[in-house]
Amino acid sequence: MSEQLIIVSGSKEDQYISLLSQLKSLVEDETDLIANLANVCAALKEYFNFFWVGFYLVKKDSLVLGPFQGPLACTRIKKGKGVCGTSWAEKKTMLVPDVDQFPGHIACSSLSRSEIVIPLLHEDYVWGVLDIDSKELNDFDEIDLYYLEELCHTILSKKHMP
Ligand code: SME
């Protein structure tokens, strides 16, 4: 992929298919983890204009803030805490339509209303999470979940582990 992102119009599904194909060639051409995570954040933000897009990476007993796009965010999250720490502990995607209804949600910004967190898994080991926040309630659905998992599980695979 060149540094130019091609944004197609059409359904959200069409947009994810186009974005993921571009991201796949982008990460195939680059082995550096941080460079790839940074470009994935930038591409997701530019494509869908999400409020906040970022990665947290597992370091010892915490998730530590990695590459992101959006307002400043909290830097460390313990396992099992908030939406991100729960995704890490349970090794599963968390789709939260209303963050105020999620017990223990960590509010980095009061403007965030809904959220999706996908674990970065390799052979049952979580090495980080992708966190996306929206200013709208109920902004993520099964289409987001399917394609963002595809991104995290297939495109950001073993060779990208820290
Ligand atoms: N809301 C997250 C914390 C990270 S920020 O949203 C960027 C959580 O509850 O884990």
Side-chain angles (χ1 to χ4, degrees), residues 34 57-66 76 88 125 127 162:
I34 298 301
L57 301 177
V58 171
K59 296 193 178 163
K60 295 185 180 163
D61 63 345
S62 300
L63 286 167
V64 180
L65 184 63
R76 286 175 190 269
W88 176 17
Y125 171 76
W127 55 275

Side-chain angles (χ1 to χ4, degrees), residues 52 56 63 65 71-74 77 81-86 99 102 104-109 112 115 117 131-133:
W52 195 91
Y56 283 89
L63 286 167
L65 184 63
L72 294 183
C74 47
I77 299 172
K81 299 293 179 190
V83 186
C84 293
T86 304
V99 296
F102 187 93
H105 167 256
I106 300 164
C108 294
S109 165
S112 174
E115 179 164 1
V117 179
D131 180 14
I132 305 182
D133 289 17

Side-chain angles (χ1 to χ4, degrees), residues 68-135:
F68 72 97
Q69 296 262 324
L72 294 183
C74 47
T75 54
R76 286 175 190 269
I77 299 172
K78 294 277 187 201
K79 196 169 191 175
K81 299 293 179 190
V83 186
C84 293
T86 304
S87 174
W88 176 17
E90 297 187 5
K91 299 179 181 172
K92 68 172 199 195
T93 296
M94 309 297 300
L95 209 167
V96 182
D98 179 354
V99 296
D100 290 337
Q101 302 303 316
F102 187 93
H105 167 256
I106 300 164
C108 294
S109 165
S110 59
L111 295 175
S112 174
R113 307 290 302 282
S114 59
E115 179 164 1
I116 187 167
V117 179
I118 302 95
L120 299 162
L121 271 163
H122 176 65
E123 289 174 358
D124 213 35
Y125 171 76
V126 178
W127 55 275
V129 300
L130 168 62
D131 180 14
I132 305 182
D133 289 17
S134 170
K135 287 201 278 189

